Amino acid sequence: MGPIPETAVRPATAPALRAPLLAGAAVGAATLLVALRDPHVPGSYGFCPLLELTGLACPLCGGLRATHDLAHLDLAGAWSANALWTVTAPVVVVVWLAWLVAAARGRPFRGLSSTGGWVTLGVALAFLVARNLPWLQPWLTPWL
């Protein structure tokens, strides 16, 4: 056998795995907290400053309730709390898994491109506008 080419998969080192594992542990712990302490109880996690000051529901409003419902496999409840987060959460898990696999293989993880970042911002802004339109509020606002 000849030498291993430079492009071959290198085994993971502990430092390479540290960041994705710590991020996964932190998000897992936060999800467990939200799963155990029901955010549907008013005031249990504070308030949204934008909602309190302007009456507008931000793209994150209802996110804790949606996370709680997703942790309990209540997709309908999660959708009614925050439709955007209900769709985004599984994507976040897949991206985290890709990061973990890349680290385990010793490869760099590129993450979200600048175009992807702008698209994400555009979708969040469109959701902000849509969920505050009177005729869409019955379907997109977390408090109805």
Side-chain angles (χ1 to χ4, degrees), residues 12-124:
T13 61
L17 287 171
R18 184 174 298 131
L21 289 176
L22 286 175
V27 171
T31 302
L32 180 63
L33 172 68
V34 172
L36 295 175
R37 184 169 180 223
D38 190 358
H40 291 91
V41 175
S44 61
Y45 283 95
F47 62 92
C48 173
L50 182 68
L51 182 62
E52 290 295 320
L53 293 173
T54 66
L56 296 174
C58 76
L60 301 176
C61 281
L64 289 176
R65 289 183 290 272
T67 301
H68 175 84
D69 292 338
L70 286 172
H72 291 273
L73 303 178
D74 179 6
L75 294 178
W79 185 268
S80 69
N82 190 315
L84 182 61
W85 180 243
T86 303
V87 172
T88 304
V91 174
V92 170
V93 171
V94 168
V95 169
W96 176 77
L97 286 172
W99 181 24
L100 183 64
V101 168
R105 292 182 175 172
R107 293 185 175 170
F109 181 69
R110 295 180 46 130
L112 194 62
S113 68
S114 62
T115 302
W118 285 110
V119 168
T120 301
L121 178 62
V123 168

